[in-house]
Amino acid sequence: MNRDIKSKEILARYTAGERIFRDLDRDDGIYDFSHSDLRGAVFSGEHLFASF
């Protein structure tokens, strides 16, 4: 699976120090977070289809 622009955006925000991702309502595709270290990330109130 290719990492799309939206996955890259969330990963960039995580790298910048953001850990709380709330109410993103990202149901417009499958996000590719495979092989990513997202320790401490909280996805709350999400409608998110993702590969971790």
Side-chain angles (χ1 to χ4, degrees), residues 4-49:
D4 61 79
I5 190 75
K6 293 170 187 148
S7 299
K8 288 179 183 178
E9 173 192 333
I10 292 172
L11 290 170
R13 289 168 55 186
Y14 179 87
T15 300
E18 189 172 348
R19 294 295 182 268
I20 307 296
F21 300 93
R22 243 174 248 204
D23 299 318
L24 296 176
D25 195 24
R26 305 278 186 157
D27 64 348
D28 55 348
I30 298 174
Y31 291 78
D32 181 12
F33 299 123
S34 58
H35 307 293
S36 298
D37 183 353
L38 293 172
R39 282 181 257 189
V42 175
F43 294 92
S44 174
E46 305 295 336
H47 186 201
L48 182 76
F49 295 98

